[in-house]
């Protein structure tokens, strides 16, 4: 069983994402209020708190959202989920569309420690069923 540890949005691209208590997600869009939302296959990004802890153990002080992930989870091995897997909080349904991504040039975290986990362990989803996500919600793999 997984859990939403943090929900993170940014009003414009190129700035740190800030945590919010809840957020609406829409089909063909993603998170309302997030600059990276849009009608494409990477509407909502997720990264596990366990992955962030790996980077913290390299000496970095990192808050949820530091890797520009929209949803920080706990208790899910996100990078092992196959494309097409669906996740739900009991209302919203997200479908995995991509595992990892190419790291953008000049990633501050990579410059600091020579490594970044988002390209390997971050996942991207599209919204299948719209609704509200809240910090603390369960987030589970659907059968």
């Amino acid at each position: 069983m997984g859990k939403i540890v943090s929900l993170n949005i940014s009003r414009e691209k190129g700035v740190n994402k800030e945590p919010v208590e809840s957020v609406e997600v829409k089909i063909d869009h993603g998170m309302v209020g997030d600059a990276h939302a849009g009608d494409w296959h990477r509407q909502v990004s997720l990264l596990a708190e366990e992955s962030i802890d790996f980077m913290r153990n390299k000496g970095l002080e990192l808050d949820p959202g530091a890797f520009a992930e929209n949803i920080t989870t706990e208790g899910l091995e996100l990078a092992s989920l196959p494309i097409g897997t669906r996740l739900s909080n009991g209302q919203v349904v997200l479908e995995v569309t991509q595992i990892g991504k190419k790291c953008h040039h000049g990633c501050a975290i990579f410059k600091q420690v020579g490594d970044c986990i988002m390209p390997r362990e971050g996942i991207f989803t599209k919204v299948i069923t719209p609704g509200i996500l809240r910090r603390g919600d369960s987030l589970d793999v659907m059968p």
Side-chain angles (χ1 to χ4, degrees):
M1 176 185 279
K3 176 180 160 185
I4 296 174
V5 174
S6 186
L7 296 164
N8 314 294
I9 64 171
S10 58
R11 303 275 177 216
E12 53 188 82
K13 293 181 180 181
V15 300
N16 287 341
K17 292 196 183 293
E18 298 293 328
V20 294
E21 286 297 312
S22 64
V23 68
E24 180 182 6
V25 295
K26 292 183 175 180
I27 293 173
D28 298 331
H29 181 76
M31 286 188 162
V32 174
D34 186 64
H36 293 94
D39 189 6
W40 66 323
H41 72 287
R42 287 175 26 181
Q43 295 170 3
V44 180
S45 59
L46 295 87
L47 185 65
E49 181 78 3
E50 295 85 350
S51 296
I52 297 171
D53 284 343
F54 175 80
M55 296 303 291
R56 287 181 181 125
N57 290 335
K58 292 181 177 262
L60 295 175
E61 289 186 31
L62 298 166
D63 293 321
F67 292 91
E69 78 277 7
N70 292 121
I71 302 175
T72 312
T73 66
E74 181 180 80
L76 291 171
E77 291 186 36
L78 297 175
S80 69
L81 300 175
I83 290 173
T85 300
R86 291 188 174 190
L87 303 167
S88 179
N89 70 341
Q91 176 189 16
V92 170
V93 177
L94 304 173
E95 182 177 287
V96 177
T97 57
Q98 183 175 327
I99 309 292
K101 69 172 190 130
K102 190 172 189 174
C103 197
H104 65 83
H105 182 68
C107 169
I109 291 170
F110 189 88
K111 284 182 178 179
Q112 282 183 302
V113 295
D115 191 17
C116 181
I117 40 110
M118 191 64 181
R120 295 187 306 273
E121 300 183 24
I123 70 169
F124 297 89
T125 64
K126 66 180 179 180
V127 178
I128 301 301
T129 305
I132 303 294
L133 295 170
R134 290 176 180 78
R135 186 175 62 84
D137 279 356
S138 64
L139 189 66
D140 298 310
V141 174
M142 295 178 71

